[in-house]
Amino acid sequence: MLPRWLKRHIPGYLPPEGRWKHLAERYDGDEIVVLDCETSCFDKKKGELLSVAAVRVKGSQILLSSALELTINSDAVTDPDSVRIHYLRREDRTQGVALAEAIEKVLDFVGNRPICGFYIEYDEAILNRYIKQLYNFHLPNRFIEVSELYARQKRRHIPEMALDLTFEGLANDLKVPVIERHTAMGDVISTALMLIKLTEFGKTRR
């Protein structure tokens, strides 16, 4: 993933301003936000946000008591393949929050912390599309792809190793439970456990 300093030099990059200016400030804390979005289809240019979940990870702790979990009140037409995966039908979303409120809550929750996920590039693209429409900026946060962490650690010791970089492949090798797969919160908790395993492994190998 691109480091945050490099993002600022990409043509078309829009920095946060006004209320959100602090998002671009250097983060000096020790928390990482693990985030996942579920959408109406698997196209990052067209998929509409249906649910989002996030937790903060501090060292080996998942701060579940302050976790964020939102369903969006959306009447988006959902790809049948997507419904079979995340089970979010239109009638399941009627009690959800408005999209603009959800984006605001996500920004407040994340702040300027690093953001981690599995295929986090997709979540970044989805959120940036809405954030640009609402506030005219792109997320300046550092993004961490958990599968890249995994591959880097594995190939550091056995460069030619063939790796299963699927979600289930990482979970199996790291001995992490797959919790309610393809629900935003379930994927977030499993990914947070992967992150903890990988960062703890990195410490023990130094």
Side-chain angles (χ1 to χ4, degrees):
M1 305 296 292
L2 290 173
R4 62 187 295 166
W5 66 265
L6 183 57
K7 287 183 180 182
R8 300 173 186 176
H9 300 283
I10 296 175
Y13 170 73
L14 298 169
E17 297 179 345
R19 174 186 171 183
W20 306 110
K21 191 174 181 180
H22 68 283
L23 300 182
E25 295 174 0
R26 180 190 176 105
Y27 180 63
D28 293 323
D30 57 356
E31 295 179 352
I32 295 173
V33 172
V34 179
L35 181 144
D36 182 71
C37 299
E38 299 295 337
T39 55
S40 60
C41 68
F42 304 122
D43 185 333
K44 62 186 178 183
K45 294 182 179 179
K46 298 178 181 178
E48 295 192 42
L49 187 63
L50 303 182
S51 70
V52 57
V55 296
R56 296 179 184 129
V57 174
K58 184 172 183 176
S60 60
Q61 292 183 302
I62 301 173
L63 307 181
L64 279 174
S65 62
S66 61
L68 179 74
E69 184 174 22
L70 300 168
T71 299
I72 315 305
N73 187 345
S74 167
D75 60 359
V77 176
T78 309
D79 186 307
D81 290 333
S82 297
V83 173
R84 281 192 287 271
I85 289 175
H86 55 55
Y87 306 111
L88 283 170
R89 303 165 300 169
R90 187 177 297 181
E91 54 266 38
D92 299 324
R93 299 176 243 138
T94 56
Q95 301 302 312
V97 302
L99 175 64
E101 180 183 352
I103 295 299
E104 182 179 19
K105 286 180 180 294
V106 168
L107 291 174
D108 281 334
F109 184 87
V110 171
N112 61 344
R113 297 172 181 82
I115 302 172
C116 176
F118 184 86
Y119 191 23
I120 195 62
E121 180 184 354
Y122 180 83
D123 303 288
E124 180 182 7
I126 294 295
L127 292 175
N128 272 339
R129 178 150 53 85
Y130 290 115
I131 292 167
K132 183 176 184 297
Q133 291 171 5
L134 291 166
Y135 302 115
N136 200 38
F137 73 86
H138 292 152
L139 285 165
N141 306 61
R142 179 166 72 95
F143 281 82
I144 302 166
E145 172 55 51
V146 74
S147 65
E148 288 182 7
L149 285 180
Y150 173 81
R152 197 156 54 237
Q153 289 193 11
K154 287 289 184 178
R155 290 184 171 135
R156 187 180 301 157
H157 306 289
I158 310 176
E160 69 279 7
M161 177 183 287
L163 300 175
D164 180 355
L165 295 179
T166 63
F167 190 94
E168 289 77 9
L170 266 68
N172 181 62
D173 189 42
L174 294 171
K175 295 180 173 52
V176 163
V178 175
I179 302 168
E180 296 181 356
R181 181 72 170 114
H182 293 298
T183 64
M185 183 53 72
D187 284 356
V188 155
I189 294 172
S190 293
T191 303
L193 290 169
M194 293 179 196
L195 174 66
I196 290 168
K197 280 285 188 78
L198 289 166
T199 52
E200 289 299 307
F201 176 80
K203 291 176 184 175
T204 61
R205 300 292 298 200
R206 288 174 190 165

